[in-house]
Every structure is written in structure tokens, then in C-alpha cells.
RNA sequence: GGCGGCAUCGCCAAGUGGGAAGGCAGAGGACUGCAAAUCCUUCAUCCUCGGUUCGAAUCCGAGUGCCGCCUCCA
């Protein structure tokens, strides 16, 4: 079985073959740190976090890079508005980004490079492009000459001539072609700037990704990922800059996720129809948000609504119940040695679900189908767990392992429950009290205790093997 | 104007030539002192029209509706 990835460049699913056997270099376009991230920003971070985890599962050694854009117009404008320096603004929102990312179980990249910490590499690259004749300077600004790069438009399927006609860009009359883009921008007064061969200035937007990705991953990356809105012009321009400089393919597999919409419109800061991760997090756990994101294939559009989150929460609850129930049986401490037909069925079913989960993920990270395997196995397992008699320990452990590996390690949608000693003691005492009441069929008292515990966020479940309790929220 | 995407049960969502997955919600039932959890049963011929085919949600053509990129945007 082999992994297939949809490549935007070829518009086909392709077998994934990294440049170096067993190793993957992956770069994901990160946030511009001028504000809190919204759920639409979070989609690629979650999706590609999972792609990365899955690649690791497949045995690849993955080097994962996600940048922070910490210098551009939005940074400058927002810093002015808030009356802080650009660097202070960046510092704050990088911190906020990590708070949000952590809440969503998004693992840290191996490196989180920042544009302002790679000015030297950026200048080198621009200089190289200028020397090779792909770039030209006009009065402190440096532009990329698109007409010199023959395959411009190959990623987005755009034709240079059409682009020129349709250019909505403010035409800078000094540029050779309307669609030439800035590699280096001359400093305006009051803006942060760096010394360069062209005078004081700052990098253009596209150049940082080329410079930083190649610095950490080499001239050819295995995977470069981001939202579909980056295909043009951002990634198109990255290809032009990088390949013009190195004369080597810049990226083997381009991955782009579909938009997250609100009321069927793309969620974006400029439209103002955004839901910040921080806001949603007040009401829903990160695992729920992740589940919601995974419920659709990453390339399809996904519409955000509170109703959807509620559905995600309910769905996830079902999985959590099953996992909780396995754990409960495991802590009972009594098992049978033998393995009969029912045990074998579970082990067989586990094997099947495992295989199908992998098949789904191999098919361009088809998480909705992968999720369905978690549910399919849960049904079989619930039947087993509810059947009378002792259970086989190995079967329970293997089943638990299945969810730990797939739901937790790869998808990251499992909730970690941390015990609180004092709280548990109080609960245990109440449960004991209720058991006494139940023995003498004092239903009134036992129901009352159950209600009290519910108030405290504890659900009691009477099972043939004894009381099972769990915390909610 | 150029390029691209989407339309499948009340809601969400897979499936791209031969069984319409899965989840949520709903209905009925079982289990339970009552619950909870769980299980069982039930719940769609796939936007429209035409075509290709023994056979199409899936391919082709026309149409309708929605969305995106071409300007900052994940």
C-alpha cells in the first residue's frame, strides 16, 4: 500500500515518492502574526499537522517547517493602530498563535522561522536573481521580471497574457510587466527597514517563503502546503523566484486545502466574517474543533456553523464513550485467560478496521473515511464489551491501542483525562453512599446522590460489573 | 473576460462505471428499580434534461444554482 497525494501542480493524485528515501521535507505557510487566528486559518494547520503525523506513522523521518510572517503591510498598519512596534506585535501574536495551536493539539513544527530573522538569506536570494537577470531594481524597489520566467503560471493554470489583461493590481508604471511582483520594497519613513544593496528596505511577501524553505529543506522540497488562496499569486511567485535561482524543481508535491466558509462564503479577515479560534474555544474543546475539520475531506469546502460543532461534539462523544468503556473494563482487574470466538472476532475486526483506516489515509488523507473506521470498530467493540462474562485482557488492550494510535496519535481527537485525587475521593465516597442506598432499594436517596454528582459534572452508569463514572465537560 | 471548484437522506459527509459507507438528529424496540451507556430495527435511486453503456451518483453534452482565484487573504 502506498500513499497518494493530490498534487495541485499536476491536478492529479500521485504516488508519493520523496526525494530522499525515507525522509520528507515539508513546508507549510504559516500565519501573519498581526492578529488572533480564525478557524479558517486553523484548517490548514490542523490538516497538515495530521498529514505530518501520518507520514511519521508511515515510517518517514519528517522535517516540518512552518513560518511566521512578521513583516508586511498588515503588520506595519496594525502596529501603528495599536501603538506598538512591529516586533512587539509579532512577539505578542506568536505567543497567541501557540496558545491557540496548543488548544487544537497542533504539534510544534521542527522549526518556526521568522522572516525578520532571515533578512540575510532573503537579500542573498534577491541578489542572485538580479545577477541572473530575473530581477531589476528601480529606485530602491526590486521586482521579479515575470516575462523572463517561461513557465510562469504553471501552478495556477494561468496564462501570462490573460493575467496581464485581467490584472487588477494597481499598475506601477515603472514595472516592465503589470504582473511583475516585488522582491524587495524600499523603506518608507517610520517603517522597519534593513540595509541592503538597494538601500534601506524590507522583503516582499513571497520571497521569505522561498528563502526560508530552501534554507532548511534544500532546493527541492517534498511537500509545500497552504490554503487554496495562496495558489495564486503567492505560490506561483515562489516557484518563479526559487526555480529561477536554483534551476531545480522547487516542490515535488503542492498541497492546498479548501476554504472554510461562514454562510457559504469564504471566511476571511478582509470580509470580516470570521470566527476566532479563541472565541470558539470558549465553548468547544479543541478535539471537537479538530473533529469538525476532519469531518470533511481537506480539499473540499467546509461550512462553519455552531450546529456543525454541536454535531461534531455528539459524534466525538460516541467514540469517547467506547474508549472510556474499554478503560473501565481494563481497570476492573479481572480477566479470563482463554480466547473464544467472540475474542477472535474482535481481533479480526480490529485488523480490518486498521487496514481500512490506513487505506483511507493513503488515499490523499481521506479523514472522513478514516473516521468512519473508528465508528465501525466501536460498534463491534461495544457489543463485545456489553456481553456477559469476563473479557480477555489482550483483546481489551489491543482495542484500546487501536484508538490510541489512530484517534490520538494520528488524528489528535482524543481527550486526555487527568485524574484529580481529592475530587475523586469525594466522588468515591458519594458513590459508596449511593450503593448502600441501592442495596436497601432506597431509590429516592440513590437518585438524589446521582443528581448531586451530575451537578458536579460526574455521570454515573450502573453496569453488571459495577458502577462506572465519568466526568463531563 | 480568463482559470478553477461544488451540487448525494432533516443536518454533516464518503463514494467517480456493477452493493448508495459512516456520523448527528428522528421513530420504534431491548436492557435498567428509574436512568446512563449500549445493542437491534427503521430512515436516500444521488440538482434538471438529453446521450454513451448490458449497466451511471459516477463518463459525455446542455442547462440551473452556489462558491472561489485573477488585489491582502489559510
Amino acid at each position: 500500500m502506498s500513499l497518494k497525494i493530490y498534487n495541485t501542480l499536476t491536478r492529479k493524485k500521485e504516488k508519493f515518492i520523496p526525494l530522499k528515501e525515507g525522509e520528507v521535507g515539508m513546508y507549510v505557510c504559516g500565519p501573519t502574526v498581526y492578529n488572533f487566528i480564525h478557524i479558517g486559518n486553523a484548517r490548514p494547520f490542523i490538516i497538515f499537522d495530521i498529514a505530518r503525523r501520518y507520514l511519521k506513522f508511515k515510517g518517514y523521518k519528517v522535517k516540518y517547517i512552518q513560518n511566521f510572517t512578521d513583516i508586511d503591510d498588515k503588520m506595519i498598519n496594525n502596529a501603528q493602530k495599536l501603538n506598538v512596534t512591529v516586533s512587539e506585535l509579532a512577539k505578542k501574536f506568536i505567543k497567541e498563535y501557540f496558545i491557540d495551536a496548543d488548544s487544537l493539539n497542533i504539534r510544534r513544527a521542527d522549526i518556526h522561522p521568522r522572516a525578520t530573522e532571515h533578512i540575510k538569506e532573503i537579500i542573498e536570494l534577491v541578489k542572485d536573481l538580479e545577477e541572473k537577470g530575473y530581477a531589476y531594481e528601480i529606485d530602491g524597489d526590486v521586482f521579479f521580471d515575470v516575462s523572463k520566467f517561461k513557465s510562469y503560471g504553471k501552478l495556477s493554470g494561468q496564462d501570462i497574457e490573460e493575467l496581464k489583461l485581467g490584472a487588477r493590481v494597481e499598475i506601477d508604471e515603472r514595472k516592465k510587466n503589470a504582473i511583475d511582483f516585488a522582491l524587495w520594497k524600499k523603506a518608507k519613513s517610520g517603517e522597519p527597514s534593513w540595509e541592503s544593496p538597494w538601500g534601506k528596505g524590507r522583503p516582499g511577501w513571497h520571497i521569505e517563503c522561498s528563502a526560508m524553505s530552501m534554507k532548511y529543506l534544500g532546493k527541492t522540497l517534498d511537500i509545500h502546503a497552504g490554503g487554496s488562496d495562496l495558489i495564486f499569486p503567492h505560490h506561483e511567485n515562489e516557484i518563479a523566484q526559487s526555480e529561477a535561482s536554483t534551476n531545480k524543481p522547487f516542490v515535488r508535491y503542492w498541497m492546498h486545502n479548501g476554504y472554510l466558509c461562514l454562510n457559504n462564503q469564504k471566511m476571511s479577515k478582509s470580509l470580516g466574517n470570521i470566527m476566532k479560534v479563541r472565541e470558539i474555544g470558549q465553548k468547544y474543546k479543541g478535539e471537537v474543533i479538530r473533529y469538525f475539520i476532519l469531518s470533511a475531506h481537506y480539499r473540499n469546502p467546509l461550512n462553519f456553523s455552531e450546529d456543525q460543532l454541536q454535531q461534531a461534539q455528539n459524534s466525538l462523544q460516541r467514540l469517547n464513550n467506547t474508549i472510556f468503556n474499554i478503560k473501565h473494563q481494563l481497570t476492573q482487574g479481572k480477566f479470563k485467560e482463554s480466547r473464544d470466538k467472540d475474542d477472535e472476532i474482535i481481533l479480526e475486526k480490529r485488523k480490518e478496521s486498521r487496514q481500512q483506516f490506513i487505506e483511507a489515509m493513503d488515499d490523499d488523507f481521506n479523514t472522513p473515511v478514516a473516521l468512519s473506521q473508528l465508528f465501525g470498530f466501536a460498534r463491534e467493540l461495544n457489543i463485545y464489551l456489553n456481553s456477559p462474562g469476563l473479557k480477555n485482557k489482550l483483546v481489551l488492550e489491543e482495542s484500546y491501542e487501536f484508538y490510541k494510535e489512530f484517534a490520538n496519535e494520528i488524528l489528535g481527537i482524543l481527550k486526555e483525562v487527568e485524574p484529580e485525587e481529592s475530587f475523586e475521593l469525594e466522588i468515591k465516597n458519594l458513590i459508596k453512599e449511593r450503593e448502600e442506598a441501592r442495596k436497601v432499594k432506597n431509590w429516592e436517596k440513590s437518585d438524589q446522590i446521582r443528581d448531586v454528582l451530575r451537578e458536579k459534572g460526574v455521570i454515573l452508569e450502573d453496569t453488571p460489573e459495577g458502577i462506572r463514572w465519568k466526568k463531563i465537560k
Side-chain angles (χ1 to χ4, degrees):
Chain A
M1 262 184 295
S2 63
L3 175 62
K4 281 191 180 148
I5 294 181
Y6 181 88
N7 191 346
T8 307
L9 188 62
T10 56
R11 295 176 199 279
K12 274 192 300 232
K13 275 185 208 171
E14 294 174 356
K15 194 173 169 186
F16 178 67
I17 304 165
L19 194 61
K20 267 198 216 162
E21 203 184 324
E23 290 181 29
V24 180
M26 185 166 176
Y27 184 94
V28 178
C29 283
T32 300
V33 282
Y34 71 110
N35 208 331
F36 291 95
I37 61 165
H38 61 71
I39 180 86
N41 299 126
R43 189 177 186 190
F45 304 151
I46 290 172
I47 288 295
F48 299 122
D49 173 58
I50 285 164
R52 169 205 198 183
R53 291 172 183 223
Y54 187 66
L55 285 163
K56 268 196 177 152
F57 167 81
K58 294 288 276 185
Y60 291 107
K61 192 178 161 204
V62 184
K63 193 166 178 188
Y64 190 83
I65 315 287
Q66 186 181 88
N67 68 302
F68 286 119
T69 297
D70 59 355
I71 176 70
D72 80 334
D73 289 350
K74 292 189 299 278
M75 291 294 299
I76 292 167
N77 292 339
N78 223 35
Q80 265 166 9
K81 210 183 288 176
L82 297 172
N83 201 25
V84 293
T85 65
V86 166
S87 126
E88 283 164 349
L89 185 74
K91 194 176 165 199
K92 170 171 169 58
F93 283 109
I94 285 174
K95 199 177 130 214
E96 302 293 358
Y97 166 81
F98 281 127
I99 291 173
D100 286 332
D102 289 348
S103 80
L104 296 172
N105 293 344
I106 295 166
R107 294 197 177 143
R108 303 288 164 113
D110 295 304
I111 302 167
H112 283 280
R114 298 170 55 171
T116 57
E117 289 170 358
H118 294 78
I119 300 294
K120 190 176 126 256
E121 287 83 354
I122 291 170
I123 289 174
E124 287 301 316
L125 183 55
V126 176
K127 235 162 68 183
D128 183 53
L129 287 169
E130 194 179 29
E131 278 160 17
K132 288 179 173 151
Y134 286 102
Y136 56 94
E137 185 213 339
I138 297 172
D139 188 28
D141 284 319
V142 183
F143 295 100
F144 186 90
D145 186 344
V146 169
S147 64
K148 292 270 167 57
F149 188 72
K150 294 303 166 215
S151 58
Y152 191 81
K154 66 181 171 185
L155 181 68
S156 54
Q158 302 286 337
D159 181 83
I160 290 193
E161 295 308 316
E162 288 295 341
L163 281 172
K164 284 181 187 163
L165 289 174
R168 286 196 247 158
V169 201
E170 256 179 78
I171 307 241
D172 183 335
E173 291 299 336
R174 302 170 305 159
K175 291 197 288 189
K176 289 189 187 171
N177 309 287
I179 49 176
D180 288 351
F181 55 92
L183 296 169
W184 188 260
K185 293 180 168 181
K186 184 182 179 176
K188 294 181 190 140
S189 71
E191 288 181 0
S193 63
W194 290 264
E195 287 296 344
S196 82
W198 316 280
K200 284 196 157 212
R202 61 184 170 94
W205 173 38
H206 315 294
I207 197 76
E208 68 175 66
C209 286
S210 290
M212 298 191 291
S213 61
M214 291 198 289
K215 170 173 178 182
Y216 294 107
L217 299 172
K219 290 174 180 171
T220 299
L221 330 184
D222 290 307
I223 298 173
H224 189 140
S228 308
D229 43 2
L230 298 182
I231 295 172
F232 191 90
H234 186 55
H235 289 159
E236 195 70 71
N237 291 352
E238 279 188 51
I239 292 176
Q241 295 160 351
S242 308
E243 297 189 353
S245 166
T246 66
N247 204 25
K248 291 208 164 73
F250 176 45
V251 169
R252 292 168 70 79
Y253 301 87
W254 282 99
M255 292 180 72
H256 293 97
N257 62 276
Y259 300 114
L260 199 131
C261 303
L262 188 65
N263 299 325
N264 290 315
Q265 273 200 321
K266 180 186 163 190
M267 188 178 286
S268 82
K269 284 171 188 162
S270 31
L271 282 174
N273 59 340
I274 61 165
M275 287 295 295
K276 287 180 186 143
V277 168
R278 199 62 63 88
E279 291 174 81
I280 301 166
Q282 311 230 310
K283 216 166 160 190
Y284 295 93
K285 286 184 163 289
E287 289 83 5
V288 172
I289 299 172
R290 259 177 105 95
Y291 183 98
F292 161 67
I293 297 286
L294 298 186
S295 68
H297 184 87
Y298 78 90
R299 282 192 281 115
N300 288 348
L302 178 59
N303 202 37
F304 175 89
S305 73
E306 170 128 16
D307 187 51
Q308 297 266 84
L309 279 181
Q310 194 56 51
Q311 281 187 30
Q313 190 170 58
N314 293 349
S315 305
L316 199 51
Q317 187 62 51
R318 181 175 166 79
L319 290 180
N320 274 319
N321 284 338
T322 298
I323 293 155
F324 173 78
N325 294 346
I326 307 174
K327 269 191 187 164
H328 178 254
Q329 294 256 11
L330 271 169
T331 52
Q332 288 304 295
K334 280 186 184 168
F335 308 100
K336 66 177 179 191
E337 290 302 319
S338 62
R339 261 188 9 218
D340 61 25
K341 200 170 151 232
D342 290 344
D343 299 296
E344 299 300 339
I345 286 174
I346 293 299
L347 290 177
E348 184 54 34
K349 181 68 191 171
R350 190 198 77 112
K351 204 172 137 194
E352 265 172 45
S353 300
R354 196 186 144 80
Q355 211 162 29
Q356 282 168 13
F357 182 100
I358 292 169
E359 236 169 74
M361 291 298 282
D362 273 348
D363 184 15
D364 194 30
F365 308 99
N366 193 334
T367 53
V369 172
L371 280 173
S372 76
Q373 292 310 312
L374 301 186
F375 285 100
F377 185 56
R379 169 154 283 131
E380 299 291 329
L381 200 51
N382 285 329
I383 294 170
Y384 176 78
L385 292 172
N386 280 354
S387 65
L390 293 176
K391 304 293 174 294
N392 182 286
K393 194 175 182 189
L394 177 84
V395 173
L396 294 174
E397 282 173 345
E398 297 254 304
S399 302
Y400 183 66
E401 206 47 42
F402 172 84
Y403 285 105
K404 202 175 161 204
E405 183 171 40
F406 290 155
N408 192 36
E409 274 303 306
I410 295 178
L411 301 181
I413 52 173
L414 265 198
K415 169 166 56 183
E416 294 296 331
V417 188
E418 66 294 337
E420 299 161 50
E421 296 293 334
S422 62
F423 187 52
E424 292 204 6
L425 190 67
E426 184 195 351
I427 290 161
K428 276 177 186 155
N429 287 333
L430 280 167
I431 289 174
K432 211 178 278 172
E433 208 180 313
R434 177 167 173 273
E435 276 305 87
E436 301 293 326
R438 289 186 76 220
K439 263 184 203 153
V440 296
K441 295 200 193 306
N442 185 346
W443 307 129
E444 204 179 320
K445 185 171 180 194
S446 82
D447 287 355
Q448 193 196 340
I449 293 173
R450 187 164 62 193
D451 290 344
V452 168
L453 282 170
R454 179 185 283 275
E455 288 292 306
K456 292 178 187 287
V458 174
I459 300 273
L460 291 191
E461 297 174 357
D462 300 324
T463 77
E465 293 86 37
I467 309 258
R468 190 162 69 189
W469 65 272
K470 63 185 167 195
K471 280 184 238 178
I472 50 169
K473 280 186 206 167

